Amino acid sequence: MKKSLLALALISAAGACAPQQPPATATVPVRESPAHAVIPVPRSITLDRTERFVLDTSAAVVIDANASKEVAQVADYLVKLLAPSASGAVRTTGMAAGKPIRLSLDPSRSLGAEGYDLTVGAREITLVANTPAGLFYGVQTLRQLLPYSVEHPAAVGRKLSLPTGRITDAPRFEWRGMMLDVSRHFLPATDVKRFIDAMALYKLNRLHLHLSDDQGWRIEIESRPALTEIGGSTKVGGGPGGFYTQAEYADLVAYAASRFITVIPEIDMPAHTNAALASYPDLNCDKVAPPLYTGIKVGFSALCVDSASVLPFVQDVIREIAAITPGDYFHIGGDEVKKLTKAQYIRFIESVQQVVASNGKRMIGWGEIAPAALTQNTIVQSWIRDSSALHAARGGKVILSPSPKLYLDMKYDSATVLGLAWAGLVELRTAYDWDPATFIPGVGEASILGVEGPLWSETLEKAEDYERMAFPRLLAVAELGWSPAAARDWNSFRARVAAHGARMSALGLNFYRSPQIDWQP
């Protein structure tokens, strides 16, 4: 997706105004021993290597007796993570615990909606946050302070301990996400859940699912069954496709929510619609269904936006998906539209904005939607040089997904087998070493909702392929979105990434061993 000649020209222009970074080949790996290996790097971290909290059966997770259901769920998550090295049950205040690991909420603390304060002593750990989400992110930091063997609960005789100290932390940006393209090639729900688990470890909180495109329609619409019966039947290269039933999708959304991740559904329109056009001929101006498409060309399809059939179709789709998506967002795509006039395109975007709002959601669209009369509530996702600054000037928010930096489907180097290269080669340092607040003139920190790494799947056929392209670059996305600019440093980051190789291996992730990292054995 997103590789027209116009796009290439705009990307070149964007690079001209973006901060220039050293080339990837300038990095010479040097074995370093980082003070810690927490990713994303916290705002404030002080550790004492002379004392440690040792996990044993006297250690127990403790919460207040009147703790909310969400706090109890975070505590249960931590118990399962530590088992069998610690007590296998959550305890409440007043119950005996030789080495308590206390989780509590304190709304009076200046930690924000997702921040936390973690204090580790030799005999007690306290984790305080304003919200359950903050507690969950504190648990992920605690997890990363433990050796990677914590990811191997069945390991015989494993010994878990962590250094004493204190960490006070909160994210820089509200939006820290990745996008999975399940349309070009379908990714079963079990594989998506593995991504959700990995995202949670690195404090990412938005999962954008690209659910429709020319090659496949991947979510059941009960009022329009042909979308999956016909449009969901194939994939890039041919062969069987696949789709999520509404029940499967709702289960995915709930699973993500249990990890404090919001799912954002995307139905791309008015272009990238061949699967829909093949399913319902009346969406075409000539009322003739085109053949199903299994290539990777873009820009050839579009809804017949002036047809009386199109708006009811859009309303049906948005209504049904919005009803099973409790999050605040609905993504309408809106990119690479070559078959409509500018006036037709603008009218369509503005009408869909009203449909999304009437279903109680905030509309998101790729950068091409910015010239339309968007409300401040609508969000623009920038991937090439576009009119994002126009939306920022009207008070709107922007998500940064610059293709030469954060497109996770771009090849790492010229020898990379998977992926494409139209936006350039994107090694780990390229993805990491830039500042979102200075990347687009006119779109400063206050206008940036956050960052997102899209993973398009033209060349990705199975979960291992998706993982290969996502990791370790997704760790760069996480640190860009969470950590303050002053705390980020490439040499520190690559040393910490090196320590995460064993952890990613323990999790079974098929990650790329970048030559920019001196991976620990």
Side-chain angles (χ1 to χ4, degrees):
M1 183 181 184
K2 302 179 171 62
K3 48 192 168 292
S4 64
L5 292 176
L6 174 61
L8 291 170
L10 292 174
I11 289 164
S12 298
C17 67
Q20 298 300 305
Q21 304 296 345
T25 54
T27 300
V28 178
V30 177
R31 174 60 57 84
E32 299 179 21
S33 180
H36 64 84
V38 179
I39 297 174
V41 65
R43 288 192 175 190
S44 172
I45 178 167
T46 304
L47 300 178
D48 182 355
R49 295 288 182 178
T50 64
E51 275 192 309
R52 300 186 73 83
F53 181 99
V54 179
L55 269 291
D56 55 40
T57 53
S58 69
V61 177
V62 179
I63 60 176
D64 294 338
N66 62 347
S68 69
K69 179 181 177 181
E70 281 188 306
V71 170
Q73 288 173 339
V74 174
D76 186 60
Y77 177 97
L78 179 56
V79 164
K80 291 176 180 177
L81 179 69
L82 301 179
S85 299
S87 173
V90 177
R91 302 184 186 181
T92 56
T93 303
M95 297 176 68
K99 293 182 185 176
I101 304 173
R102 302 187 188 278
L103 277 57
S104 63
L105 298 182
D106 182 356
S108 69
R109 300 287 294 274
S110 300
L111 297 169
E114 296 178 300
Y116 63 90
D117 191 336
L118 174 65
T119 302
V120 181
R123 301 288 304 177
E124 180 176 7
I125 295 174
T126 60
L127 175 58
V128 181
N130 291 161
T131 67
L135 289 179
F136 185 79
Y137 297 132
V139 164
Q140 301 310 318
T141 294
L142 189 155
R143 177 182 179 183
Q144 291 189 26
L145 290 172
L146 290 163
Y148 73 87
S149 58
V150 72
E151 315 297 346
H152 285 295
V156 176
R158 70 174 184 173
K159 296 181 180 179
L160 300 180
S161 68
L162 62 159
T164 58
R166 183 175 181 184
I167 299 175
T168 304
D169 202 7
R172 178 183 184 184
F173 293 118
E174 173 186 342
W175 191 287
R176 308 176 304 279
M178 79 165 299
M179 188 216 74
L180 285 174
D181 172 14
V182 297
S183 294
R184 273 45 178 272
H185 288 95
F186 181 64
L187 200 60
T190 52
D191 294 326
V192 177
K193 287 181 177 180
R194 278 176 48 81
F195 264 96
I196 289 170
D197 286 336
M199 290 173 65
L201 173 61
Y202 297 108
K203 304 184 179 75
L204 293 160
N205 67 350
R206 300 287 189 268
L207 174 59
H208 171 182
L209 290 178
H210 185 74
L211 293 166
S212 73
D213 214 294
D214 291 312
Q215 301 86 350
W217 186 285
R218 306 303 184 198
I219 185 167
E220 175 188 27
I221 304 298
E222 293 178 351
S223 63
R224 304 277 179 158
L227 287 170
T228 47
E229 292 171 2
I230 298 174
S233 65
T234 191
K235 61 183 179 181
V236 167
F243 65 92
Y244 308 117
T245 66
Q246 290 198 8
E248 288 171 333
Y249 173 79
D251 177 67
L252 266 182
V253 169
Y255 189 85
S258 74
R259 272 84 173 141
F260 296 90
I261 293 171
T262 300
V263 170
I264 296 90
E266 179 189 352
I267 300 296
D268 211 342
M269 58 180 98
H272 291 278
T273 51
N274 194 79
L277 300 175
S279 303
Y280 285 97
D282 60 342
L283 300 177
N284 298 276
C285 290
D286 61 5
K287 309 301 180 184
V288 176
L292 291 168
Y293 182 69
T294 60
I296 63 172
K297 181 181 177 181
V298 300
F300 65 90
S301 65
L303 297 170
C304 186
V305 295
D306 294 326
S307 167
S309 301
V310 168
L311 186 58
F313 167 79
V314 170
Q315 291 170 331
D316 287 345
V317 169
I318 293 176
R319 182 188 67 254
E320 289 197 30
I321 297 176
I324 54 175
T325 307
D328 294 334
Y329 312 98
F330 193 100
H331 203 303
I332 59 96
D335 61 304
E336 295 180 323
V337 182
K338 300 179 181 180
K339 295 189 69 175
L340 302 180
T341 66
K342 180 178 179 180
Q344 286 177 313
Y345 175 76
I346 293 295
R347 284 198 307 272
F348 178 80
I349 295 299
E350 292 171 358
S351 66
V352 174
Q353 180 176 238
Q354 294 177 7
V355 176
V356 172
S358 70
N359 282 277
K361 305 298 182 185
R362 293 181 68 179
M363 190 176 85
I364 308 172
W366 297 106
E368 289 94 320
I369 74 168
L374 304 180
T375 68
Q376 287 188 4
N377 202 45
T378 290
I379 300 163
V380 169
Q381 185 166 3
S382 178
W383 64 282
I384 53 173
R385 186 171 182 177
D386 50 36
S387 300
S388 295
L390 176 64
H391 190 54
R394 64 167 73 103
K397 295 291 186 179
V398 178
I399 299 167
L400 265 62
S401 298
S403 48
K405 297 290 185 181
L406 292 191
Y407 264 37
L408 303 178
D409 60 306
M410 291 298 105
K411 292 178 179 290
Y412 291 96
D413 57 28
S414 59
T416 304
V417 174
L418 299 171
L420 301 171
W422 58 265
L425 303 176
V426 181
E427 246 292 1
L428 184 59
R429 185 171 188 177
T430 304
Y432 179 83
D433 215 359
W434 61 286
D435 185 4
T438 60
F439 191 74
I440 302 177
V443 182
E445 182 110 6
S447 300
I448 298 172
L449 191 61
V451 295
E452 180 178 298
L455 181 53
W456 304 101
S457 67
E458 285 95 338
T459 68
L460 314 180
E461 296 190 40
K462 52 189 181 296
E464 291 87 346
D465 298 341
Y466 283 79
E467 291 171 3
R468 181 78 171 177
M469 301 307 285
F471 298 98
R473 289 183 292 196
L474 197 58
L475 280 62
V477 178
E479 188 146 307
L480 278 166
W482 182 280
S483 305
R488 293 197 304 109
D489 173 77
W490 164 247
N491 287 324
S492 166
F493 177 70
R494 69 186 181 89
R496 286 178 284 118
V497 170
H500 274 255
R503 194 174 298 268
M504 289 188 287
S505 292
L507 292 169
L509 295 172
N510 182 36
F511 68 97
Y512 166 70
R513 288 186 173 271
S514 167
Q516 296 183 336
I517 303 299
D518 191 15
W519 298 97
Q520 295 181 7

